[in-house]
Amino acid sequence: MMPTIKFTAAAMPAKGTLVVFADGDNKLGAAGNALDKSGALTKAIKAAGFKGGFGKTLDILTPRDSDLDRMIVVGLGDVKKLTEFHWLRLGGRIRASVAGNVKVAVMVELPQGEGKKSPSVGAKNCLDLGVGARLASYRFDRYKTKKRSRSKPQTLTLHAKSASAAKKLWDGQEGVSDGVMLARDLVNEPANILTPKDFAKRAMQLKKLGCAVEVLDEKAMKALKMEALLGVARGSRNPPRMAIIQWKGGASKERPVAFVGKGVTFDTGGISLKPAGGMEDMKGDMGGAAAVAGLMHALAARKAKVNAVGIIAMVENMPDGDAQRPGDIVKSMSGQTIEVLNTDAEGRLVLADALWHCNKKFKPKFMINLATLTGAILVALGNQHAGLFSNNDELSEQLSAAGLDTNEKVWRMPLTPEYDKLIDSKNADMKNIGGRYAGSITAGQFLQRFVGKTPWAHLDVAGTAMASPQTEINKSWASGFGVRLLDRLVADNYES
Ligand code: BES
Ligand code: MN
Ligand code: ZN
């Protein structure tokens, strides 16, 4: 269960679980020193060989005359080197070590040794501790019928001089972590539950936050001639949907920023069927769309001063008697024709129409699409960076910077006319696969053919949205990658 996070400037409590910091020289803060009057604490730290290294924790026996249940020392390492992501990770670490405790107090202060006063921790760092603890506590356990009610609700109180400023930041930022968790929930949800229709229904919920949401059904998409998307949807009994989510927090005439997500609720590969091993992971093939939904939640919840559009295109890629075949030629909404040589390269077909529609309807300042698009991006970058493909250097640099700040990192890959040629087709304007090599790049080239001159970036999140290594702030299969990244991009560059 999620902990309740509180901020207070109050003095150290006498009961419950207490967390104090030590730095890389094993110096304690004022709270730690107050508890160390007899020197027993320092002695215990020494005896345990604890060095105050970053994120290391040490459980200390509470003195017999104390009402505390538990005391934990958490190492900060070299305090000068702590970045935003360090504070998030610390929050996650703390949450992990106190998960079973009901009342937890964290003494948020920088160590400075006995006698001296502890320098205080800024509101932003304090906020990040709370955010890290919250994100770390996320679990996908709604289908566990036995385990759910066991854990008691936890209150995690951050004691800091900057408490009231931190609380203010928290009230503004809570929606961002909610957006991350919404994205995780959507990705973790199995495909029998999260069909395109169900996904659209969940997108509708964003109305509660003040978004305008419109859902296009099959008929509406037919009328718009989205035949590339509809060709993918043909193989499934679950009809496709496209949700268009708008947040209007900017000036009324201001052009919007736009985000487009691949929402393949399950990808069997279609007639170009995938092998059985690991196919279950393809329930996460809507990770791009989940990030867009989470981002729209974040922007609306924190009332971002920006006009933003989120388009999520939901289809299920299945092999059916009516499924499209390798060799079929479809006409995309743009009028360009596509020879479908592999029905498993379906994400680009879906995005082709979604991007075209977005550009035409909204004339956005830029478009960023997110997609679990290629297995090849895992070969190139593993799980540490999303692939970034763009026709615009400025947007790329903004994304890279936001990536470093949020630790949702991106790495730019090339797009050039030589690569573009690889998807020319004998029988149509283009084919939906390139050759054996550069699979992520030819996918990017394909998308670029549907964005015109609009500044655009494509994030291939196949390696980062799901099944990526667990971190201190993510203990779930689905990471929610992209929500914090794009929220930061908007906050730093596009809000009035
Ligand atoms: N959804 C997959 C890509 C994917 C692979 C996402 C692994 C997450 C983890 C995509 O639709 C796909 O099947 N791509 C093919 C493209 C190929 C047929 C050109 C791939 O990567 O093999
Ligand atoms: Mn596929
Ligand atoms: Zn796919």
Side-chain angles (χ1 to χ4, degrees), residues 54 81-93 124-125 128-129 132 135 184 384 403-409 469-474 484 488:
F54 176 79
K81 291 198 176 132
L82 297 178
T83 63
E84 171 176 343
F85 190 53
H86 281 106
W87 288 102
L88 289 170
R89 288 171 62 195
L90 272 179
R93 268 294 156 84
K124 171 70 171 84
N125 298 336
D128 287 333
L129 278 176
L135 290 176
R184 288 179 185 174
Q384 290 301 319
L404 290 176
D405 287 348
T406 56
N407 202 53
E408 294 193 333
K409 301 186 290 287
Q470 311 260 291
T471 64
E472 286 94 339
I473 61 168
N474 180 35
R484 291 189 307 114
R488 185 64 55 88

Side-chain angles (χ1 to χ4, degrees), residues 274-290:
K274 285 182 184 297
M279 203 205 274
E280 66 276 11
D281 280 3
M282 288 300 110
K283 73 172 184 177
D285 207 17
M286 27 55 69

Side-chain angles (χ1 to χ4, degrees), residues 262 267 274 282 285 342 344 346 372-375 433 462 466:
K262 169 180 173 181
D267 181 14
K274 285 182 184 297
M282 288 300 110
D285 207 17
N342 189 320
D344 196 12
E346 84 296 340
T372 49
L373 203 63
T374 65
I433 50 172
M466 55 178 159

